[in-house]
Amino acid sequence: MSSSHIISVLVENKSGVLAKISGLFSRRGFNIESLAVGTTDDEKISRITLVVKAENHSIEQIVKQLHKLINVLKIQELDPSNIVERELVLIKVNSDNNTRAEILEIASIFRASVVDVAKKSLVIEITGNSKKVEGIEDLLKPYGIIELVRTGKIAISRGSKK
Amino acid sequence: MGKITGAQMLIKCLKESGVEVIFGFPGGVVIPIYDALYDSDIRHILVRHEQGAAHAADGYARSTGKTGVCLATSGPGATNLITGIANAYMDSIPVVAITGQVATHVIGTDAFQEADITGITAPITKHNYLIKDIKELPAVIKEAFYIASTGRPGPVLIDIPVDISKGYIDENLKADIDVEGYKPTYKGNPRQIIQAVKKIQESKKPVIFAGGGVTSSEAAEVLTEFAEIAHIPVITSLTGKGVFPDTSDLSLGMAGMHGTKYANLAFTQTDLIIAVGVRFDDRVTGKLSEFAKNAVVIHIDIDPAEIGKNVRVDVPIVGDAKNVLSDLKTKYLEIVKGKISPEQAAWLENIASLKSKCALRYDRDSDALKPAYIIEKIYELTKGEAIICTEVGQHQMWTAQYYKFTRPRTLISSGGLGTMGFGFPAAIGAKVGNPDKTVIDIAGDGSIQMNVQEFATAVSNKIPVKIMVINNGYLGMVRQWQEFFWNKRYSHTNIADSVDFVKLVEAYGGTGFRVKEKDEVESTIKKALEIDNLVLVDFWVEREENVYPMVPSGSAIDQMIECD
């Protein structure tokens, strides 16, 4: 049975490394659902957070293959029940004098913030897990979503362990 | 402080890495490197096509155990290396490929002869580098050789922009390497090893399955000792040929699609497979769900990703084959002490009877010129001491079946990628690395034409390789499939009108012979072996001879098509 896996990979911060990692996934037949990259507290090291849908057996093989890349330093498959996960989403939605108040109310219920207001649109920023993001997206759809940009999921394990 | 050019630093670092020979072909952006080579005592073999350079470096590496080096220019020079790099990657061969690149400030502008070779080779190299700062050069070279030759070996590519090789660098710059993301496991887990010994002790019908990893880790000797002490029959993969002597009673030869019937039957009947340095390729296992259904599997490999990839494994042992096998041998002697159970004795009797009942066979009494007969004669006349290279196809399988390999690094053959055109340039590399040995490329008439330009390399560099062309005027392996599975519709496999091979080799300055009769085989091979030059013998064999036995693709390996 295939399910989503969150894989957190520490890599050397060098050019071409991201291409090597994403290439490995595509040529072994995996589709990356989301991918987020950024440097860690050590600027020589970056963290890549990937969400991949795959069967348990094949995820084990891809993790082993990832380990073989020389630029990969550490790989963790995060246990969804013991992590904090976040994604940041910007949504540009149609709004006019009639609908603006309703949309602002929806935003406030979701604790989202409005970061741009124009005559015919609003840009809403929301941070949260996938469920929350999907929730607000559903509610905003009827007004007409002009554009939606998401960062991809990042995650960290709970507790003091690294 | 003295300054030297990047190119001079490259040559200096190659020397420090122990490089004695480079196979290469010059071009615009590698002129600085070739200029530095001009003053160096590193031997450079000028090939006629970069693919030849990559295969020669591969053949050199396979036959010597050292890392092979090839050199090409940017763009088409680099892309011509690709088949060779992919071939080395599939069979885990240590090769360092050095390519020139356009200058750093024009990278990405589609400059003349620019190709993104690090991007292109990412899936077929163990690692690759594009050097962007001249100061990285010494460390990258050292690291490349370290990565190529350790752990599970493989090709590493270094792409050097021309402004880096022309730039200046402090000649005393030291290379400190620390590859944090690369720490192969060499020592097997002791508890797993004890677990393995217990499984061996419980087993009534054990077999060892040995592959190319045994050669890479120089473990053939300890493997042979262990098999003999424990009385366990040995099956090999194609790349494992030679790690256990084919002449031994315990040898079952190669298994798989064209393996021996007794090896395939042994796999089907065994209750324990001790797999060492193999990756359970589909050409060996046949239909996976039917493969060795009754067997417990111990899998020893230095690459954890190979364990459990294709076949379910009961006792995984990650480690270097030589280390693990010697630990396994020690523990086995402590615990089992070489005593064999009555059941295991019965298994050995069964193996012996399978070997005699299901021996490889062809029509020996026929007057026709049979490929298997030629291979047997080559074996006899070289006393099994030659380095045999092959191309890919029927002749390759006949060689694996009928030449008896007794030492590692004596069969040089493209296993994983199955590259036609590999054998001859690989033979050039093998002969350069082993000047005192007889090196023979057993070829098909199709394959040999794929890198025929390297005849010039062999003649002009005085590399006296012998080529035995098993000429049936067909792309024979494909023809055989067409005969069995495609109603004899020989679509585009008849190549009988190709070329006069004798004249061809003579045009290059080599010596050629043609053999059409059985009774000329022995005397002609003898003559060929005595001539100190490139020699090609063109054997006109029976055209539609097939390779038997054969497991049809996708069938279980005990389902074999056999000869009448």
Side-chain angles (χ1 to χ4, degrees):
Chain A
M1 219 190 63
S2 81
S3 56
S4 280
H5 299 261
I6 306 173
I7 303 169
S8 175
V9 190
L10 287 178
V11 301
E12 291 178 281
N13 183 8
K14 287 183 178 169
S15 65
V17 175
L18 180 61
K20 278 179 184 163
I21 289 174
S22 58
L24 180 67
F25 277 83
S26 67
R27 62 176 179 272
R28 299 220 172 230
F30 289 83
N31 192 17
I32 298 173
E33 291 190 340
S34 114
L35 182 149
V37 197
T39 52
T40 59
D41 52 325
D42 179 348
E43 63 175 28
K44 289 193 196 116
I45 296 174
S46 293
R47 181 183 298 278
I48 300 177
T49 309
L50 293 138
V51 180
V52 188
K53 203 165 230 167
E55 290 178 21
N56 289 340
H57 172 78
S58 32
I59 204 77
E60 188 189 321
Q61 177 61 208
I62 196 89
V63 167
K64 282 175 170 179
Q65 294 293 343
L66 268 181
H67 267 295
K68 288 169 71 173
L69 296 179
I70 310 288
N71 302 119
V72 169
L73 306 176
K74 193 180 172 194
I75 305 170
Q76 276 176 291
E77 201 196 328
L78 297 172
D79 171 6
S81 66
N82 195 30
I83 54 168
V84 181
E85 54 164 293
R86 289 290 179 270
E87 187 171 20
L88 187 140
V89 184
L90 296 171
I91 306 172
K92 187 182 284 181
V93 60
N94 281 322
S95 84
D96 53 27
N97 291 339
N98 296 326
T99 57
R100 190 170 297 124
E102 287 173 31
I103 295 173
L104 288 175
E105 199 173 331
I106 292 171
S108 103
I109 293 167
F110 278 88
R111 276 185 276 174
S113 42
V114 175
V115 290
D116 181 63
V117 185
K119 272 186 194 155
K120 290 181 176 172
S121 69
L122 285 172
V123 176
I124 291 167
E125 173 197 316
I126 182 158
T127 309
N129 59 23
S130 315
K131 251 194 183 148
K132 186 173 169 188
V133 171
E134 281 159 23
I136 193 167
E137 198 188 328
D138 278 351
L139 287 174
L140 292 177
K141 254 186 199 153
Y143 301 98
I145 291 174
I146 303 167
E147 247 184 332
L148 185 150
V149 184
R150 43 207 309 176
T151 55
K153 197 179 283 182
I154 57 168
I156 202 162
S157 61
R158 292 181 189 272
S160 57
K161 251 176 75 187
K162 207 173 170 181
Chain B
M1 272 188 310
K3 293 269 186 187
I4 56 173
T5 65
Q8 287 168 327
M9 179 54 100
L10 167 67
I11 302 301
K12 182 171 173 251
C13 294
L14 292 178
K15 286 281 291 181
E16 284 166 9
S17 298
V19 175
E20 291 160 359
V21 58
I22 297 174
F23 302 90
F25 195 95
V29 295
V30 288
I31 295 175
I33 298 173
Y34 272 88
D35 192 68
L37 258 179
Y38 204 59
D39 298 322
S40 164
D41 57 358
I42 293 180
R43 186 175 180 200
H44 179 270
I45 306 286
L46 176 64
V47 295
R48 295 301 186 270
H49 185 296
E50 290 87 349
Q51 188 185 346
H55 289 326
D58 181 327
Y60 175 86
R62 287 184 206 236
S63 62
T64 62
K66 300 175 197 166
T67 301
V69 181
C70 57
L71 170 60
T73 193
S74 63
T79 55
N80 276 346
L81 293 176
I82 287 184
T83 302
I85 294 171
N87 189 72
Y89 184 71
M90 285 290 267
D91 288 348
S92 308
I93 305 302
V95 168
V96 170
I98 299 164
T99 50
Q101 181 55 279
V102 299
T104 45
H105 66 275
V106 293
I107 287 178
T109 65
D110 303 319
F112 177 64
Q113 293 193 330
E114 181 184 357
D116 170 17
I117 199 64
T118 47
I120 292 170
T121 57
I124 52 165
T125 50
K126 187 170 171 186
H127 193 45
N128 65 28
Y129 302 88
L130 167 61
I131 299 182
K132 286 185 171 162
D133 178 348
I134 193 165
K135 290 198 214 70
E136 296 170 4
L137 189 67
V140 165
I141 308 299
K142 198 169 170 185
E143 214 174 277
F145 279 86
Y146 171 64
I147 290 173
S149 61
T150 53
R152 177 179 181 174
V156 176
L157 180 135
I158 309 168
D159 200 21
I160 309 178
V162 63
D163 53 324
I164 303 282
S165 49
K166 276 159 78 176
Y168 285 90
I169 183 171
D170 171 8
E171 71 173 324
N172 297 315
L173 189 68
K174 283 278 166 279
D176 290 319
I177 64 163
D178 172 29
V179 201
E180 203 195 326
Y182 177 68
K183 302 266 187 287
T185 307
Y186 291 100
K187 198 93 183 122
N189 181 314
R191 269 178 312 197
Q192 293 295 89
I193 288 170
I194 290 174
Q195 188 63 22
V197 172
K198 283 187 181 148
K199 295 288 179 198
I200 296 168
Q201 194 172 23
E202 286 163 15
S203 165
K204 298 179 173 114
K205 305 170 181 179
V207 296
I208 291 170
F209 177 33
V214 177
T215 305
S216 305
S217 80
E218 307 288 353
E221 203 175 314
V222 59
L223 177 102
T224 305
E225 284 168 16
F226 174 66
E228 282 169 357
I229 292 168
H231 305 280
I232 301 178
V234 180
I235 297 171
T236 69
S237 66
L238 177 67
T239 47
K241 284 242 109 182
V243 302
F244 188 77
D246 280 336
T247 45
S248 162
D249 286 343
L250 286 172
S251 168
L252 293 172
M254 178 178 80
M257 183 172 274
H258 293 294
T260 59
K261 183 175 180 179
Y262 41 86
N264 287 355
L265 292 178
F267 260 149
T268 310
Q269 295 170 12
T270 181
D271 65 358
L272 173 73
I273 297 172
I274 307 159
V276 196
V278 291
R279 53 191 184 85
F280 290 101
D281 183 80
D282 56 79
R283 284 294 185 271
V284 168
T285 61
K287 190 178 184 183
L288 260 182
S289 57
E290 297 292 315
F291 177 73
K293 280 202 325 213
N294 310 314
V296 166
V297 178
I298 299 167
H299 195 173
I300 302 164
D301 205 288
I302 198 157
D303 180 0
E306 282 308 332
I307 295 177
K309 186 179 79 176
N310 294 332
V311 166
R312 171 195 48 75
V313 171
D314 302 278
V315 186
I317 306 178
V318 177
D320 174 68
K322 190 176 183 179
N323 266 325
V324 175
L325 283 171
S326 28
D327 290 352
L328 189 69
K329 191 183 95 180
T330 311
K331 282 285 156 212
Y332 176 86
L333 284 173
E334 263 175 50
I335 298 171
V336 190
K337 306 185 175 75
K339 277 184 290 194
I340 60 166
S341 61
E343 291 93 344
Q344 200 189 335
W347 169 240
L348 288 171
E349 272 171 40
N350 177 29
I351 291 285
S353 100
L354 280 178
K355 276 186 79 168
S356 68
K357 265 199 306 214
C358 315
L360 286 164
R361 59 200 161 91
Y362 67 95
D363 185 0
R364 284 169 200 279
D365 302 328
S366 163
D367 289 332
L369 187 48
K370 296 277 185 185
Y373 174 79
I374 298 166
I375 309 289
E376 285 184 335
K377 282 290 162 199
I378 296 172
Y379 169 69
E380 262 174 55
L381 295 169
T382 56
K383 303 177 188 75
E385 282 169 6
I387 294 176
I388 302 293
C389 303
T390 77
E391 309 288 341
V392 167
Q394 287 184 310
H395 68 274
Q396 177 191 32
M397 293 297 107
W398 284 314
T399 303
Q401 291 177 334
Y402 289 97
Y403 194 98
K404 293 189 176 64
F405 294 93
T406 54
R407 277 193 297 269
R409 305 195 183 283
T410 53
L411 173 63
I412 312 294
S413 193
S414 169
L417 197 66
T419 310
M420 290 171 70
F422 165 75
F424 179 58
I428 290 177
K431 182 68 181 173
V432 168
N434 301 271
D436 302 330
K437 290 205 173 135
T438 300
V439 178
I440 297 174
D441 176 35
I442 298 178
D445 51 315
S447 293
I448 193 64
Q449 294 185 64
M450 283 209 181
N451 271 316
V452 80
Q453 75 286 345
E454 302 307 333
F455 284 6
T457 307
V459 173
S460 65
N461 290 288
K462 300 194 165 37
I463 304 167
V465 168
K466 319 293 174 194
I467 307 167
M468 307 289 164
V469 180
I470 308 298
N471 185 350
N472 54 15
Y474 280 116
L475 300 174
M477 188 57 94
V478 178
R479 188 211 56 77
Q480 178 172 339
W481 283 53
Q482 288 170 332
E483 178 187 332
F484 288 178
F485 314 116
W486 297 88
N487 296 321
K488 297 196 178 182
R489 287 157 57 87
Y490 295 159
S491 178
H492 298 275
T493 41
N494 189 343
I495 53 166
D497 50 3
S498 291
V499 67
D500 182 329
F501 285 110
V502 173
K503 282 186 184 159
L504 184 67
V505 73
E506 284 171 358
Y508 277 102
T511 310
F513 300 104
R514 178 161 296 118
V515 173
K516 295 179 184 174
E517 303 299 331
K518 198 173 176 179
D519 58 12
E520 297 165 0
V521 171
E522 192 166 324
S523 60
T524 313
I525 294 173
K526 270 188 193 157
K527 258 192 287 182
L529 293 178
E530 278 161 15
I531 295 170
D532 189 29
N533 190 6
L534 173 69
V535 182
L536 181 149
V537 186
D538 182 19
F539 293 99
W540 285 20
V541 297
E542 188 165 79
R543 292 200 66 199
E544 299 198 3
E545 180 79 348
N546 289 318
V547 183
Y548 293 109
M550 177 178 193
V551 179
S553 186
S555 299
I557 55 168
D558 58 349
Q559 304 300 309
M560 285 161 277
I561 303 172
E562 296 179 69
C563 65
D564 303 326

